[in-house]
Amino acid sequence: MDQFKALVVNKTETDFTVNVKTVSMDDLPEGDVVIKVAYSSVNYKDGLACIPNGKIVKSYPFIPGIDLAGIVASSKDPRFKEGDEVIATSYEIGVSHYGGYSEYARIPGDWIVPLPKGLTLKEAMALGTAGFTAALSIHRLEENGLSPEKGKVLVTGATGGVGSIAVSMLAKRNYHVVASTGKESEHEYLRKLGAKEIISREEVCLEQIRPLDKQYWAAAVDPVGGRTLATILSRIQYNGSVAVSGLTGGADVPTTVFPFILRGVNLLGIDSVYCPMELRKQIWERMATDLKPDKLLESIAQEITLEQLPEALSNILKGKLRGRTVVKLA
């Protein structure tokens, strides 16, 4: 426990490095709970944390990784004891507080969720922030009236982490899933996850977007944003909803008020970072039960080592990763 391995990002006036290094407990920030990390995962934000101009990391040197799952090694927080299996995602982890790409992490107890029955530590990281975002999106859509008989549900960026898990979760709950992707080679993958229809990226990202178009979908899970979101809003059925959680397609949304005031469309913002703990625990319980994807580890996740992590972080920024990548640390 005195010395252990971690992925360390460092930036100086003349150099930027991403290397696996030996660190000590003294290097870790303050926190109530020390966790022996079993698994972490690869997210787009983690990729940004590992490039010089990613605008994620606040100070250097730094250990990234916004997700972690492991076993409590020691605790000053009475809610957790040595040996407890726990999850920690979001908040400042991997942004301004050292994250999960380390064999040990020390974090505040307020950021920790007990591992629900029905999930292993590895399954929890196969889900991670991406799975949490997908589950929270579906939860919010259903709160706003979505049910399988209402109609088809679109998932954009369907081969990514959020998209893949959303397709699988929705299919498990008997929704008719329409998956959108720019990768023709991944159609079979999406069908295995449960997609009933597959459409091209271009069909949901139009150059000329009508204020109101034909009504195609009852709802959508959209981690893309940009022109894609504007296109979707113009095509959602009356009183339907769109859960938006990302901006890989851009931050600007060239839309009008018409979908909202003439069709009663709901635009639901999905924030996984500061989601309140009571709701956070509820979503994790759903991910361990009715929203747990079938064959999660076999179909959606692949496992890598800490040494393989730099390449995976580079690939997620290039759109080359499919599904979820789990990092084994223990």
Side-chain angles (χ1 to χ4, degrees), residues 195-211:
K196 290 280 177 41
E197 297 177 48
I198 301 168
I199 61 177
S200 71
R201 181 186 296 156
E202 289 72 26
E203 289 179 73
V204 290
C205 185
L206 302 178
E207 280 302 313
Q208 298 243 312
I209 302 168
R210 295 178 180 177

Side-chain angles (χ1 to χ4, degrees), residues 186-201:
E186 301 291 11
H187 286 199
E188 186 58 31
Y189 165 72
L190 292 170
R191 289 191 186 95
K192 286 181 179 178
L193 294 185
K196 290 280 177 41
E197 297 177 48
I198 301 168
I199 61 177
S200 71
R201 181 186 296 156

Side-chain angles (χ1 to χ4, degrees), residues 34-275:
V34 176
I35 299 169
K36 181 175 174 59
V37 182
Y39 296 97
S40 185
S41 69
V42 178
N43 299 280
Y44 193 83
K45 187 183 282 188
D46 300 319
L48 292 175
C50 293
I51 58 174
N53 57 346
K55 299 180 181 178
I56 295 294
V57 177
K58 308 289 172 64
S59 63
Y60 297 92
F62 191 73
I63 298 172
I66 64 172
D67 293 345
L68 64 93
I71 297 170
V72 174
S74 65
S75 174
K76 298 175 185 175
D77 188 316
R79 293 171 293 183
F80 304 100
K81 65 183 186 301
E82 185 179 342
D84 286 350
E85 293 184 312
V86 294
I87 304 162
T89 66
S90 310
Y91 299 101
E92 298 302 316
I93 299 169
V95 177
S96 62
H97 190 100
Y98 282 14
Y101 296 159
S102 174
E103 292 178 331
Y104 283 89
R106 184 161 53 204
I107 60 174
D110 286 343
W111 298 353
I112 296 174
V113 174
L115 182 75
K117 291 178 181 178
L119 284 180
T120 65
L121 292 171
K122 185 175 180 180
E123 287 173 334
M125 287 297 94
L127 292 164
T129 288
F132 184 86
T133 302
L136 183 57
S137 298
I138 295 166
H139 183 81
R140 291 289 311 282
L141 289 170
E142 291 180 337
E143 278 187 329
N144 279 270
L146 181 65
S147 56
E149 63 272 14
K150 292 290 178 66
K152 300 177 180 180
V153 181
L154 174 70
V155 178
T156 62
T159 63
V162 175
S164 291
I165 295 174
V167 169
S168 186
M169 286 176 170
L170 287 163
K172 183 174 183 176
R173 288 185 59 73
N174 296 315
Y175 286 97
H176 182 115
V177 182
V178 181
S180 166
T181 180
K183 302 172 182 176
E184 288 188 22
S185 60
E186 301 291 11
H187 286 199
E188 186 58 31
Y189 165 72
L190 292 170
R191 289 191 186 95
K192 286 181 179 178
L193 294 185
K196 290 280 177 41
E197 297 177 48
I198 301 168
I199 61 177
S200 71
R201 181 186 296 156
E202 289 72 26
E203 289 179 73
V204 290
C205 185
L206 302 178
E207 280 302 313
Q208 298 243 312
I209 302 168
R210 295 178 180 177
L212 289 175
D213 208 330
K214 184 179 176 182
Q215 299 179 48
Y216 287 90
W217 312 292
V221 175
D222 178 39
V224 176
R227 298 190 72 82
T228 296
L229 176 56
T231 303
I232 294 167
L233 288 169
S234 73
R235 293 179 164 190
I236 288 291
Q237 291 174 13
Y238 187 86
N239 212 30
S241 302
V242 181
V244 61
S245 60
L247 45 67
T248 56
D252 294 330
V253 183
T255 189
T256 69
V257 299
F258 292 123
F260 310 109
I261 66 172
L262 296 181
R263 285 187 182 160
V265 169
N266 306 296
L267 181 57
L268 309 175
I270 305 301
D271 170 43
S272 62
V273 179
Y274 296 110
C275 176

